[in-house]
Amino acid sequence: QKEVEQDPGPLSVPEGAIVSLNCTYSNSAFQYFMWYRQYSRKGPELLMYTYSSGNKEDGRFTAQVDKSSKYISLFIRDSQPSDSATYLCAIGGNMLTFGGGTRLMVKP
Amino acid sequence: EPEVTQTPSHQVTQMGQEVILRCVPISNHLYFYWYRQILGQKVEFLVSFYNNEISEKSEIFDDQFSVERPDGSNFTLKIRSTKLEDSAMYFCASSRDRAGANVLTFGAGSRLTVL
């Protein structure tokens, strides 16, 4: 059973759209939930980090964790072309387990 | 903003050769990590390092791999005898505290191509 699953996309949306990115995970022991953004041929860049179930907002980004369903989401409001990247969920503790990434394209 | 620096950005080597990838973590960080990403696949954990010793390693990190912090600033990953399947992007990361309690900052990566 795969530990962290993520729809690979690509997901193509028009500028200004609301984007929803999701991951499911299998190990209920996971405690920390992160979203990274990765541009082509670059390292992952941390966007959001949460510990508990619930929502966390940072500007246009909202991270949501539902531990009972083992489901995490990232919402991007008013998406911009500069948001075009691969979004990786990462779950765990000292050793992060990454999802495969969802490629997002925001068209002007 | 502080950043993790990795060199080289790209290295091409022949199968069976030794390769050393170098990283300069953020200066006040104490935990160091290597991850790798084979083209088109997930980012995978290799090893974590704290207080001059390995704290955790994955199944991927076999006897062909070693890590070292030779001089208090650099953090290196050595692959003794490279195989074709070692071709990947290798990311160094560092954190101030144990990941989870704190967050990892990744470098831009070193692309290794084994021919």
Side-chain angles (χ1 to χ4, degrees):
Chain A
Q1 185 181 15
K2 293 181 181 177
E3 288 199 279
V4 181
E5 296 205 49
Q6 189 173 3
D7 187 332
L11 180 62
S12 181
V13 302
E15 183 175 354
I18 296 173
V19 175
S20 172
L21 304 166
N22 309 293
C23 281
T24 58
Y25 62 95
S26 58
N27 188 344
S28 58
F30 286 143
Q31 295 183 12
Y32 301 95
F33 308 92
M34 297 157 200
W35 284 95
Y36 283 84
R37 177 173 60 196
Q38 186 177 26
Y39 293 111
S40 181
R41 297 181 179 266
K42 299 290 186 184
E45 170 197 8
L46 182 71
L47 277 178
M48 301 283 289
Y49 157 64
T50 57
Y51 172 70
S52 57
S53 282
N55 294 353
K56 182 177 181 179
E57 192 172 313
D58 184 3
R60 296 185 295 112
F61 298 90
T62 300
Q64 192 173 77
V65 175
D66 182 347
K67 285 188 176 181
S68 62
S69 301
K70 299 192 188 77
Y71 192 85
I72 68 170
S73 301
L74 177 72
F75 298 97
I76 307 174
R77 288 185 300 281
D78 187 25
S79 56
Q80 302 295 309
S82 58
D83 295 329
S84 297
T86 297
Y87 290 79
L88 308 168
C89 62
I91 300 174
N94 192 41
M95 184 180 89
L96 292 179
T97 301
F98 281 83
T102 299
R103 193 153 61 92
L104 171 67
M105 294 183 292
V106 181
K107 296 182 177 178
Chain B
E1 188 171 329
E3 59 180 24
V4 174
T5 306
Q6 289 187 243
T7 54
S9 57
H10 187 194
Q11 180 156 359
V12 181
T13 190
Q14 295 290 325
M15 192 168 56
Q17 295 297 303
E18 177 183 284
V19 161
I20 297 176
L21 304 178
R22 291 182 169 80
C23 170
V24 179
I26 293 173
S27 61
N28 64 345
H29 284 188
L30 301 176
Y31 293 81
F32 314 112
Y33 313 85
W34 285 101
Y35 285 76
R36 81 169 185 192
Q37 186 176 30
I38 295 171
L39 187 63
Q41 297 187 25
K42 293 182 178 183
V43 177
E44 302 173 291
F45 170 78
L46 291 179
V47 65
S48 60
F49 190 87
Y50 170 70
N51 200 25
N52 281 319
E53 62 182 27
I54 290 173
S55 47
E56 286 185 82
K57 61 181 181 178
S58 70
E59 291 176 353
I60 303 167
F61 194 87
D62 62 20
D63 292 343
Q64 293 285 71
F65 291 90
S66 62
V67 289
E68 193 178 31
R69 188 157 161 80
D71 58 12
S73 62
N74 289 285
F75 179 50
T76 62
L77 174 70
K78 183 193 291 188
I79 309 174
R80 273 190 204 86
S81 177
T82 49
K83 308 186 196 71
L84 295 176
E85 54 265 36
D86 294 328
S87 294
M89 195 76 161
Y90 288 82
F91 293 108
C92 175
S94 68
S95 65
R96 194 181 67 227
D97 301 306
R98 270 178 72 89
N102 210 325
V103 296
L104 274 64
T105 301
F106 283 83
S110 292
R111 180 170 298 280
L112 176 64
T113 302
V114 182
L115 302 176

